[in-house]
Amino acid sequence: MPTYRDEVVVLRTHKLGEADRIVTMLSRRNGKLRGVAKGVRRTSSRFGARLEPFMVADVQLYKGRSLDIIQQAESLGAYGADIAVHYDRYTAASAMVETADRLNEAEATPQQYLLLVGGLRALARGDHAARSVLDSYLLRVMSLSGWAPSLSACARCGAPGPHRWFVAQLGGIVCDACAPAGAARVAPETGELLRALLAGEWDVVDAAGDGATAASSGLVSAYAQWHLERGIRSLSHLEAPR
């Protein structure tokens, strides 16, 4: 059976037997992969530390019938240590890799891989507030998966904005006529922040007030979980934006 190489982000791991580990990865060229890393739980393992969550690695795999065998792993981005020592970064990274794992195989594209790597790198460096990095990732990953939120025109009727209501089930911002009872009201500064998070306008994001940051995070969380059709468990551990 053939071997192959790919760049991967480690999404999660779990134990197999006494010394092995099953590793779930998002790869650059082959979508989501699941492979067995044999003997990595032994203290003598040479590459076990390179196959921990949030790590980016170049791996060589042996093609198996159900699970591939990870033969080699070379570190490309050792982000795990810098993320793990900060609670806000760790919980944000956990939500990001959980979201990447929830996406269907057809949505695991090279763009998804690069987006996740960029987000983990930003968290490790502390470039921006961890929750803002997560919110930007969630909006972008939803867009890459075909669920781009409408943040200007009404998501239901297309009427040009700005509008003041947000409904995840309808696809984003909606006008007064389309807003159902119970729709979330969106302040102008919150709408501006949502658009900046999606576009990666970090000067706007970093300058946003606490109220707009908290409000946008709630809307992004609701939107992502609605389209994934189930909750993102890691979001429950996130600290409220400050």
Side-chain angles (χ1 to χ4, degrees), residues 205-217:
V205 174
D206 293 339
D210 292 345
T213 300
S216 66
S217 291

Side-chain angles (χ1 to χ4, degrees), residues 88-191:
D88 58 341
R89 299 183 192 181
Y90 178 80
T91 50
S94 297
M96 289 164 62
V97 298
E98 184 181 347
T99 300
D101 193 24
R102 292 280 180 87
L103 296 172
N104 295 328
E105 180 63 33
E107 295 154 359
T109 63
Q111 291 78 15
Q112 298 276 13
Y113 167 83
L114 293 172
L115 180 65
L116 182 57
V117 171
L120 294 174
R121 183 187 301 119
L123 286 175
R125 293 176 177 174
D127 291 341
H128 310 285
R131 188 60 191 259
S132 295
V133 174
L134 170 62
D135 290 342
S136 181
Y137 171 79
L138 290 174
L139 285 174
R140 294 186 189 190
V141 83
M142 292 295 105
S143 297
L144 286 174
S145 300
W147 300 315
S150 178
L151 299 177
S152 295
C154 176
R156 186 174 185 183
C157 70
H163 300 298
R164 56 178 180 169
W165 306 102
F166 188 97
V167 183
Q169 299 91 321
L170 296 179
I173 297 287
V174 295
C175 66
D176 290 349
C178 294
R185 190 181 183 95
V186 180
E189 56 270 26
T190 302

Side-chain angles (χ1 to χ4, degrees), residues 50 62 68 205 209 237:
R50 303 168 195 166
Y62 177 90
D68 297 346
V205 174
H237 301 293

Side-chain angles (χ1 to χ4, degrees), residues 199-222:
E201 297 173 353
W202 288 103
D203 55 336
V204 176
V205 174
D206 293 339
D210 292 345
T213 300
S216 66
S217 291
L219 296 176
V220 171
S221 174

